[in-house]
Amino acid sequence: MKRPGTTSFVVALAALAATPAAAQVAVRAGTLHTVSGAPIENAVVIVGADGRIEWVGPAAEANIPDGVDVLEAAVVTPGLVDARSVVGLSGALNSNVGPVRDQDQLERSSPLQPDLRAIDAYDATETLVEWVRSYGVTTLHTGHGPGALVSGQTMIAKTRGRNVEQATLMPVRMLAATLGNAVSSNFQSPGTSAKGIAMLRSALHGAQAYLDQVRKAEESGNGNGESNGDGNGEEDEDAKPSPQPPPRDLSKEALGQVLDGELSLLVTANTVAEMASALRLQQEFGFDLVLDSAAESYLLLDEIREAGVPVLLHPTMSRVRNGSYETAAQLADAGIPFAIQTGFEGYVPKTRVLLWEAAIAAANGLGMERALEAVTLSPARILGIDDRVGSIEVGKDADLALFDGDPFEYTSHICGVIIESEVMSAECR
């Protein structure tokens, strides 16, 4: 899977973001789950004021600098990575009306809106952001939710900061699409699955034609409005007019980024028929596909594996037709890259507890180690941010979750959350 390239917009965000109030901290753990390696008993993690992990290893070998604050926990894991969420666009009040409206994850004026940017709606101060952080989630892949043929763009954020600039890790990561009845229930057209695929194919072909026009204009020297002259400022009467760039179209630009591999297409599809349609689209256009929800993926394991497509699996306990508690284990056994997500559902609460969803998968064949990976390193790899988050390694972001017991045991508590060396909380809840 290609990773999105660095853009000037990323640089602009970085310039606007303030440095978090981090300091050097050491964490002692009865058991340290690095995820990238075997658990370490009686371990220490030293994090630096630069927001990165400086040292990891047995406590007996640790050299904790004098004056450094030391936190202690029975179990320490990497900060959790929620692979698919609408938190920050969807709020805790679950209101679509009035002055307290806090549901911005789905725009219902049109079924195709690839130009909508998650960063333009993300609220870093939303209560729901703090709530998911209190359960160990330090990184969110969030944005426009399912329910439209193309609902908009997603982003990656840390669960801290006073504004979107401080929270943003990646301003644009995927383009969110949905297939099936979830679309027809929100829009008059498309009314059927076949119509939805036809509309999506047409939009992608239109974006390809748009890209071709832009490139032809750039090759002719007209990409920046240059004239087709003889070099002396005079026009050549016998020369054919050079191709002109088309008027800027933000929707086609976004779809063009998918076609160019700069963005992945995140397709919410649950039935075998919907997932098969998504795989055919990938074969036709050659884009990077990520399957979202994928309730019946256990019936399509060979096809998904052969296509090399990762899965952001629906919450284990979600009310999805033909969902199974054992799907995560089946995906893992089949060698398909996957992650467990909290997703979005149209009832209270709209946001599930990632830890609990992983715990149910662990108890149904996935096991503790693979379940922890499914909410840390695996989503980080799928999102292309595993160089920064997902495991406890020297040089990575100092994002840690501290527990007073087994993270997947219902009676355990989160007793601390650290994001890029900043201690966000240090009390058990």
Side-chain angles (χ1 to χ4, degrees):
M1 181 181 297
K2 299 177 184 177
R3 296 186 182 184
T6 301
T7 65
S8 58
F9 183 66
V10 178
V11 176
L13 277 177
L16 287 169
T19 303
Q24 191 172 29
V25 177
V27 179
R28 291 183 180 273
T31 301
L32 178 69
H33 292 279
T34 66
V35 180
S36 57
I40 305 173
E41 301 299 322
N42 191 20
V44 166
V45 181
I46 301 176
V47 303
D50 63 351
R52 302 300 176 101
I53 296 172
E54 289 186 356
W55 190 88
V56 181
E61 301 174 13
N63 184 18
I64 302 175
D66 293 337
V68 170
D69 289 337
V70 179
L71 304 180
E72 296 187 4
V75 178
V76 175
T77 74
L80 307 185
V81 180
D82 194 339
R84 173 65 165 127
S85 175
V86 295
V87 170
L89 283 76
S90 172
L93 297 176
N94 188 29
S95 174
N96 273 312
V97 296
V100 294
R101 181 181 182 275
D102 64 352
Q103 301 299 301
D104 261 1
Q105 73 282 351
L106 183 62
E107 169 60 51
R108 288 183 168 85
S109 61
S110 171
L112 276 162
Q113 300 196 75
D115 52 325
L116 301 186
R117 305 189 306 178
I119 57 155
D120 293 326
Y122 184 82
D123 181 1
T125 64
E126 164 58 46
T127 302
L128 203 53
V129 174
E130 180 182 359
W131 187 79
V132 300
R133 184 181 68 224
S134 73
Y135 281 99
V137 176
T138 57
T139 303
L140 289 169
H141 175 222
T142 189
H144 290 90
L149 198 57
V150 179
S151 56
Q153 301 165 21
T154 67
M155 63 180 289
I156 302 175
K158 294 291 185 77
T159 54
R160 54 102 159 120
R162 299 184 303 276
N163 51 53
V164 68
E165 289 81 16
Q166 293 177 357
T168 298
L169 184 61
M170 190 175 289
V172 186
R173 179 58 185 91
M174 299 187 189
L175 198 59
T178 306
L179 301 180
N181 293 335
V183 180
S184 58
S185 64
N186 287 315
F187 300 94
Q188 184 175 358
S189 178
T192 64
S193 296
K195 178 65 173 179
I197 293 296
M199 290 173 65
L200 191 52
R201 290 183 69 241
S202 294
L204 288 167
H205 279 298
Q208 186 62 68
Y210 176 83
L211 289 180
D212 291 343
Q213 282 185 279
V214 171
R215 286 166 182 156
K216 287 178 181 178
E218 290 175 346
E219 291 169 0
S220 71
N222 281 345
N224 295 316
E226 298 176 7
S227 64
N228 179 32
D230 61 4
N232 296 315
E234 299 178 2
E235 297 292 331
D236 185 346
E237 295 180 358
D238 296 327
K240 293 182 179 179
S242 295
Q244 297 296 312
R248 189 170 187 186
D249 188 317
L250 296 180
S251 292
K252 290 177 180 177
E253 282 184 13
L255 288 168
Q257 287 181 288
V258 169
L259 294 172
D260 281 347
E262 296 177 19
L263 301 179
S264 299
L265 189 65
L266 177 67
V267 178
T268 301
N270 279 308
T271 68
V272 167
E274 291 164 3
M275 289 183 286
S277 293
L279 293 175
R280 283 194 297 272
L281 279 175
Q282 182 208 29
Q283 292 171 357
E284 179 178 357
F285 292 97
F287 53 74
D288 292 323
L289 170 66
V290 177
L291 285 175
D292 174 47
S293 194
E296 295 183 356
S297 54
Y298 54 84
L299 298 174
L300 213 63
L301 295 174
D302 291 341
E303 292 83 352
I304 294 172
R305 182 178 56 244
E306 289 170 8
V309 173
V311 174
L312 304 185
L313 186 64
H314 62 80
T316 312
M317 296 181 285
S318 65
R319 301 179 186 180
V320 58
R321 181 181 176 183
N322 293 336
S324 169
Y325 285 178
E326 299 174 351
T327 304
Q330 291 178 293
L331 290 170
D333 291 342
I336 296 172
F338 81 99
I340 296 172
Q341 52 152 306
T342 59
F344 173 82
E345 293 173 293
Y347 65 94
V348 179
K350 289 176 179 283
T351 297
R352 292 176 171 270
V353 179
L354 186 61
L355 270 175
W356 299 350
E357 301 298 332
I360 295 300
N364 284 273
L366 191 58
M368 191 278 180
E369 291 186 3
R370 294 195 301 184
L372 181 58
E373 184 174 350
V375 292
T376 54
L377 189 54
S378 182
R381 285 172 174 160
I382 293 171
L383 296 172
I385 54 174
D386 54 303
D387 59 332
R388 291 194 58 175
V389 302
S391 62
I392 300 175
E393 300 178 67
V394 172
K396 285 195 173 185
D397 290 1
D399 296 352
L400 306 173
L402 285 62
F403 300 85
D404 63 1
D406 182 342
F408 295 142
E409 174 55 55
Y410 183 75
T411 56
S412 294
H413 302 86
I414 307 287
C415 293
V417 175
I418 298 174
I419 301 179
E420 294 182 22
S421 301
E422 184 179 2
V423 179
M424 309 301 301
S425 61
E427 296 181 358
C428 294
R429 74 174 307 279

